[in-house]
Amino acid sequence: MALYFSLILHGMSDLFFLSTGYLRASCMMESMELLNQSQVSEFILLGLTSSQDIEFLLFALFSVIYVVTVLGNLLIIVTVFNTPNLNTPMYFLLGNLSFVDMTLASFATPKMILNLLKKQKIISFAGCFTQIFLLHLLGGVEMVLLVSMAFDRYVAICKPLHYMTIMNKKVCVLLVVTSWLLGLLHSGLQIPFAVNLPFCGPNVVDSIFCDLPLVTKLACVDTYLVQIVIVANSGIISLSCFIILLISYSLILITIKNHSPTGQSKARSTLTAHITVVILFFGPCIFIYIWPFSNYSVDKFLAVFYTIITPILNPIIYTLRNKEMKISMKKLWRAFVNSREDA
């Protein structure tokens, strides 16, 4: 566990601080020259399409997806923390993942849905960078939580006799707190550079919300080094976490070969759900941040995928493939209905 988080933390900090000194020096002269020019106070988001008919269709679709996402993840949270049978490390981490997914879906989606009904989609300077901060904070938290869940499954399957000793309550809380601290570090290291760039001209963002590669491109200085920082931070961290997860799940799959057919089936079912979520979340992230100079029209559709689609897939994948969760949800619903009838 210590190795997992030291790799993430050291990779994040070292790559960032190596590039910060030269970046500050090279941008300072240009920033001073542009100081007296008018500053951008708002950005215009182009959205996904210019067709009004398609926007109305997307408004209905995304509204339904958002409501289902919030209710689905909220149901998982309520079920996990109100069912004694689910008082285990795996479901504790799953409940926290659902909270992050629900928040990740909410940081930009409501405004994006409302913008689908507007001709001009405007967001303030402060609102834009708030979106960027929350995106990278919650994205970083989710990455570390997924690594934590992989560690949990590794201990449960490879060291079952020591599972409750290793994955005790303090360790579970520590994993969650660490994920938030690393997410805050990941976001906090990048935002100061972007927010201090001089924006004095173009203000059109070709996306549905603000993100670093697109917004930094609009600065009035050469942002090549800023893009390198983005790769060193977001891109490399996403890729390294993904590789760590693949290695972890590969070791687990090798281990379960020695289990009974019943144990193999249950373990594979759980692992399939975890691996599916990992691929769906990390795939778009790696593509967007490891190649920040790529096709922006492709990037904005991938951004829709990991901010709108992935958060709704997580509750579907974890509940439909999990008998224990489905049984607990039915019991919770019956208890709710009975309490209403008694009242």
Side-chain angles (χ1 to χ4, degrees), residues 95-219:
N96 281 275
L97 180 67
S98 292
F99 174 77
V100 174
D101 280 332
M102 185 171 62
T103 312
L104 183 63
S106 301
F107 87 94
T109 305
K111 182 171 180 58
M112 184 206 69
I113 292 172
L114 291 175
N115 282 342
L116 289 170
L117 301 177
K118 299 177 182 178
K119 288 185 178 180
Q120 196 169 29
K121 305 163 178 59
I122 297 174
I123 184 170
S124 67
F125 187 90
C128 181
F129 280 94
T130 299
Q131 283 190 350
I132 294 174
F133 175 80
L134 291 175
L135 172 65
H136 288 271
L137 168 64
L138 297 169
V141 173
E142 180 143 352
M143 288 180 193
V144 182
L145 273 178
L146 289 171
V147 172
S148 301
M149 293 175 76
F151 176 74
D152 170 75
R153 290 301 86 202
Y154 171 80
V155 176
I157 294 171
C158 300
K159 301 181 183 296
L161 297 178
H162 304 285
Y163 178 62
M164 293 311 298
T165 303
I166 297 174
M167 294 299 296
N168 57 62
K169 189 173 183 179
K170 288 184 179 179
V171 171
C172 292
V173 172
L174 179 62
L175 289 173
V176 173
V177 172
T178 301
S179 69
W180 282 97
L181 291 176
L182 289 177
L184 185 62
L185 178 64
H186 165 65
S187 185
L189 288 177
Q190 299 182 97
I191 298 302
F193 280 101
V195 78
N196 288 318
L197 288 172
F199 294 93
C200 53
N203 67 336
V204 178
V205 180
D206 187 12
S207 186
I208 57 171
F209 58 81
C210 293
D211 197 6
L212 275 176
L214 297 170
V215 174
T216 54
K217 187 182 69 167
L218 302 176

Side-chain angles (χ1 to χ4, degrees), residues 24-162:
R24 285 183 183 276
S26 63
C27 289
M28 187 173 293
M29 292 296 294
E30 294 176 84
S31 298
M32 290 297 292
E33 292 174 3
L34 294 162
L35 194 60
N36 294 325
Q37 298 186 25
S38 60
Q39 296 295 305
V40 170
S41 61
E42 61 187 22
F43 294 97
I44 299 172
L45 303 171
L46 290 184
L48 289 174
T49 178
S50 58
S51 171
Q52 195 171 22
D53 292 336
I54 296 177
E55 285 191 330
F56 279 125
L57 179 64
L58 291 175
F59 171 80
L61 178 63
F62 289 162
S63 296
V64 172
I65 291 176
Y66 176 67
V67 171
V68 173
T69 298
V70 172
L71 293 178
N73 282 292
L74 188 60
L75 180 60
I76 290 178
I77 294 170
V78 172
T79 303
V80 167
F81 293 103
N82 285 277
T83 306
N85 293 340
L86 301 182
N87 189 21
T88 64
M90 184 182 81
Y91 290 109
F92 176 77
L93 294 174
L94 176 58
N96 281 275
L97 180 67
S98 292
F99 174 77
V100 174
D101 280 332
M102 185 171 62
T103 312
L104 183 63
S106 301
F107 87 94
T109 305
K111 182 171 180 58
M112 184 206 69
I113 292 172
L114 291 175
N115 282 342
L116 289 170
L117 301 177
K118 299 177 182 178
K119 288 185 178 180
Q120 196 169 29
K121 305 163 178 59
I122 297 174
I123 184 170
S124 67
F125 187 90
C128 181
F129 280 94
T130 299
Q131 283 190 350
I132 294 174
F133 175 80
L134 291 175
L135 172 65
H136 288 271
L137 168 64
L138 297 169
V141 173
E142 180 143 352
M143 288 180 193
V144 182
L145 273 178
L146 289 171
V147 172
S148 301
M149 293 175 76
F151 176 74
D152 170 75
R153 290 301 86 202
Y154 171 80
V155 176
I157 294 171
C158 300
K159 301 181 183 296
L161 297 178
H162 304 285

Side-chain angles (χ1 to χ4, degrees), residues 214-229:
L214 297 170
V215 174
T216 54
K217 187 182 69 167
L218 302 176
C220 301
V221 293
D222 181 11
T223 58
Y224 179 82
L225 290 176
V226 178
Q227 298 284 0
I228 297 301
V229 170

